[in-house]
Amino acid sequence: MTPMMMTPTEILAKLVSFPTVSSETNLPLVDWVETYLESHGVASHRVYDETGQKASIYASIGPDVAGGVALSGHTDVVPVEGQDWSTDPWELTEKDGRLYARGSCDMKGFDALALAAVPAAVAVDLKRPLQIAFSYDEEVGLLGAPGLAAAMLETFPNAKAAAVIVGEPTEMRVVSGHKGCDAIEVHVRGYEVHSSLVHEGVSAIMNAAKLINWITDQTTANMAKTPDPVAAMFHPPFTTLHVGVINGGTASNITAKDCRFNVDIRCVPTESGADWLAALRAEAARISADMQAIHPDTGIDVKLFAPGPGVKPEEGGEAERLARQLTGDNASHTVSYGTDGGHFQEAGFSVVVCGPGNIDQAHKPDEFLEMSELAKGEVFLSRLIEHLQN
Ligand SMILES: [Zn+2]
């Protein structure tokens, strides 16, 4: 097969032409990446989701030894519905030094840079491997990353990467950490009676309110704590609990049978998301007991919809050290959005977040990537390949 020689911009144009919104299949994109890698003599592997309609794709270039670097990207993008775009979101449009398309910034730009680096990586004598790690469903709860990290450890037992670079948009600044974000669904099950007999019924809404009050109190209490040195790197420097969606009830004169709400817990990396979930469950159980004293078929179900572990800043971690060496950025940065990185760190990898573009441009209509950011990314990747030859 003739090697497919393409610039990062050409690859980006190809990647954004696949409308890989998280709700849709990403397989056409994955097929294309596989063909591209194959054209450079690089074998790739996949991890499918349970539907078989989405897959992560990963590959290792260079010798089968430890100490290499994995480039972590995601293939999915957020929807464009209801957004007023002035260009076709699925076609890369260049204007005033910017590349417009859904996913140009978050984060197919980095994916394109990683793929564009492949021919150079293949051509030289790498002492340690360069690895590609592209996930699915990052935008809907980091669902692909745990399986991807596990599969890479299994497929390359001798070639565990010493550093994972997550190329989410940081304007190529070295970001050493972010908070965790666990998405939780709560279902409060009440008992319906006429509201004039409220003492015989159990209102799902009134009991949901009790739990929501507790949630509010936790954030207030966290705000008053003195942050530890790691928490102090984040804005705000404490764990937040928030209810963003609530639904319940049918009429003002019926005690509500159902109330559902969603909670997100954004946890500083020195606290445990699992501990916060356990505390939420304990409070839900306490309220449930009061509800069940009135009617047994009531209660509160708390379901962890999507765990999102944070990236903990690593004291002297290899990933951060390397990213600082390659970018020259020695300041310390954290970001407030989540990434696949937490799952890689949980799997035992050293992780840093560093990629082209500004997160302000992500998820919006007319999403764009500055061409200067793509150029910065190219320099970074060529330095990385140089580094892997030594
Ligand atoms: Zn992203």
Side-chain angles (χ1 to χ4, degrees):
M1 194 192 273
T2 324
M4 295 162 70
M5 300 308 290
M6 298 168 77
T7 65
T9 308
E10 287 166 348
I11 296 176
L12 180 55
K14 190 69 201 178
L15 295 180
V16 302
S17 74
F18 299 102
T20 51
V21 178
S22 312
S23 56
E24 307 297 321
T25 179
N26 73 342
L27 294 182
L29 181 149
V30 168
D31 288 343
W32 185 84
V33 171
E34 181 186 88
T35 305
Y36 174 87
L37 291 172
E38 209 177 285
S39 86
H40 294 288
V42 175
S44 61
H45 311 263
R46 296 182 184 196
V47 199
Y48 284 92
D49 77 341
E50 67 279 4
T51 70
Q53 290 309 301
K54 297 172 195 174
S56 296
I57 181 165
Y58 59 102
S60 187
I61 302 158
D64 188 27
V65 297
V69 174
L71 302 174
S72 154
H74 61 81
T75 57
D76 60 318
V77 295
V78 295
V80 295
E81 266 75 58
Q83 294 189 341
D84 190 14
W85 280 73
S86 48
T87 61
D88 178 349
W90 311 115
E91 189 183 320
L92 196 70
T93 306
E94 185 186 328
K95 210 173 75 186
D96 304 328
R98 295 171 170 177
L99 299 166
Y100 289 86
R102 169 55 84 228
S104 56
C105 174
D106 184 10
M107 61 177 290
K108 290 174 172 175
F110 182 78
D111 297 346
L113 286 167
L115 293 173
V118 168
V122 169
V124 298
D125 182 23
L126 293 183
K127 299 285 189 290
R128 284 159 293 136
L130 180 72
Q131 299 177 339
I132 305 278
F134 292 171
S135 69
Y136 61 85
D137 279 359
E138 190 273 348
E139 297 287 5
V140 288
L142 319 176
L143 304 182
L148 173 59
M152 291 181 75
L153 290 171
E154 201 181 306
T155 311
F156 312 125
N158 305 317
K160 184 185 168 191
V164 174
I165 296 170
V166 181
E168 292 278 2
T170 70
E171 295 181 305
M172 298 312 295
R173 281 192 287 246
V174 178
V175 167
S176 31
H178 62 71
K179 287 183 182 178
C181 182
D182 290 331
I184 294 154
E185 293 173 344
V186 180
H187 179 197
V188 184
R189 294 173 287 105
Y191 179 67
E192 285 173 300
V193 295
H194 191 283
S195 63
S196 62
L197 302 171
V198 68
H199 63 293
E200 291 173 12
V202 179
S203 164
I205 291 177
M206 309 284 278
N207 283 282
K210 291 181 191 170
L211 187 54
I212 292 171
N213 273 337
W214 178 88
I215 288 168
T216 306
D217 290 346
Q218 302 316 301
T219 303
T220 308
N222 289 346
M223 209 182 303
K225 284 187 217 163
T226 306
D228 63 59
V230 173
M233 296 172 70
F234 293 86
H235 179 71
F238 50 85
T239 296
T240 57
L241 294 84
H242 176 255
V243 176
V245 178
I246 185 165
N247 282 297
T250 49
S252 58
N253 57 0
I254 304 172
T255 56
K257 187 167 184 297
D258 292 290
C259 181
R260 294 168 200 271
F261 61 92
N262 294 352
V263 186
D264 73 35
I265 300 182
R266 294 181 184 262
C267 188
V268 292
T270 37
E271 291 177 11
S272 147
D275 288 351
W276 277 109
L277 181 62
L280 177 68
R281 287 207 158 111
E283 184 59 18
R286 200 189 62 71
I287 298 168
S288 291
D290 291 349
M291 295 166 71
Q292 284 157 4
I294 300 168
H295 198 283
D297 297 338
T298 61
I300 304 179
D301 306 322
V302 175
K303 188 176 135 202
L304 176 61
F305 167 68
V311 167
K312 198 179 284 192
E314 302 166 8
E315 195 74 56
E318 172 61 15
E320 185 175 325
R321 195 198 59 73
L322 174 65
R324 292 199 186 289
Q325 182 191 327
L326 298 177
T327 59
D329 177 15
N330 287 311
S332 74
H333 309 281
T334 58
V335 288
S336 47
Y337 54 87
T339 75
D340 280 343
H343 284 297
F344 278 94
Q345 207 175 40
E346 283 200 338
F349 290 96
S350 173
V351 171
V352 71
V353 185
C354 183
N358 187 315
I359 196 70
D360 282 352
Q361 275 101 52
H363 296 206
K364 288 182 182 167
D366 294 341
E367 174 178 349
F368 67 85
L369 179 66
E370 296 275 0
M371 292 173 81
S372 58
E373 287 292 311
L374 206 58
K376 270 167 29 185
E378 267 189 283
V379 173
F380 179 85
L381 267 298
S382 69
R383 286 184 186 154
L384 174 61
I385 289 169
E386 228 172 87
H387 164 81
L388 292 170
Q389 293 174 69
N390 301 319

